[in-house]
Amino acid sequence: MSILSKPYFHDEKAAFEYVESILWADGPECPHCGGLERAYKLEGVRTKASRKNPEGKERHGLWKCGHCRKQFTVRKGTIFEESHLPLTKWLQAIYLMVSSKKGISAHQLHRVLEVQYKTAWFLAHRIREAMREGAFDVFGNGGGGVEVDETFFGKEPHSTAGRRKRARSLHDKMKVLTLVDRNTKQARSMVIDSTRREEIVPILNANLSKEAYILTDEARQYQSLSFYLSGQKHDRVNHGKGEYVSFKNPEVHTQTVENYYSVFKRGMKGTYQHCAKHHLHRYLAEFDFRYNHRSANGVEDGERAALALRGVKGKRLTYQNAG
């Protein structure tokens, strides 16, 4: 048996029951009025007859609220809302995305799920939106080490490089800043407009505890960084001199965040190949999610898929906003 042989990947009724068990752990909740106690399931309801389905299609997972008397399903108020795709294909797509370390392209989803390419592209962006984690905990609690580094990818929308030329200058590339907490093994990435100290310092002060131990390389924006911080300790490693782990203190290095970037770059260049800047934050959310819930942190594929599924509520994304 394969994991993809589970009933909720192939049977629509089982798919609704599985999603309800994840999102409605305490029972059905009416998305219209918030009622919890008087909802009841409607059985045997079918859609209107059509040429394709002369007897109509059975409406699985349909509930009615005893308070406001409105009908609803578990799709309402989630990334699944107003989608014509079966819930089974949504669950297959979520599993494929969370179990692929370097991502899975929209073209691959289009072929595997047998849907249109535009459908697969939009589907993937909505799932990335579900992976975006809203919990905000500062890094470096208790004096823990936090590695900070930036990377460069693709080309800025208004790059001075010609339209057909590759962006060779770092100024012409899109910029990403990533923080990795060594104690919690969590990563947090964000798109930045420049690597100037004036932009990076407010981000560090907002995301790090005052007792955090910041570890960076020798880049110019990190020189005399302690003077601009809110009290955090700071050490640097000098890559320019061939020092990848400090000769004086083996704790001083940025190898962890660079390992994160190695997976990110392989995924973005090898799997996705191109990304517009206004979409980059969602791709970062995807890579952060898989990194934060990886096997090394005790989370396997099935549990990772369930965690992504818990994030679908309240994150409806329309095609117009996604584009």
Side-chain angles (χ1 to χ4, degrees), residues 217-276:
D217 58 22
E218 78 283 8
R220 184 169 56 185
Q221 62 268 23
Y222 300 124
Q223 293 177 6
S224 304
L225 188 62
S226 298
F227 180 77
Y228 302 93
L229 295 172
S230 301
Q232 295 93 339
K233 183 182 175 184
H234 174 228
D235 267 326
R236 299 190 299 160
V237 65
N238 196 330
H239 291 166
K241 294 183 177 180
E243 182 187 48
Y244 295 94
V245 177
S246 173
F247 301 136
K248 298 179 180 179
N249 183 355
E251 289 187 8
V252 180
H253 63 79
T254 57
Q255 301 290 76
T256 316
V257 67
E258 286 165 10
N259 287 340
Y260 170 90
Y261 280 146
S262 71
V263 176
F264 171 73
K265 286 289 188 71
R266 286 185 175 93
M268 295 304 294
K269 291 183 177 180
T271 301
Y272 297 124
Q273 300 181 15
H274 170 75
C275 170

Side-chain angles (χ1 to χ4, degrees), residues 165-183:
K165 292 182 180 178
R166 289 181 58 190
R168 298 188 181 278
S169 167
L170 298 182
H171 175 75
D172 292 322
K173 291 176 178 284
M174 295 184 288
K175 303 153 190 72
V176 172
L177 181 73
T178 300
L179 289 64
V180 176
D181 190 320
R182 284 186 181 173
N183 288 347

Side-chain angles (χ1 to χ4, degrees), residues 35 47-48 51 68 74 125 135 139 180 227 275 292 310 317:
T47 62
K48 292 182 179 179
R51 183 177 298 179
C68 65
V74 73
H125 270 299
F139 283 4
V180 176
F227 180 77
C275 170
N292 295 341
R310 290 190 182 99
L317 185 68

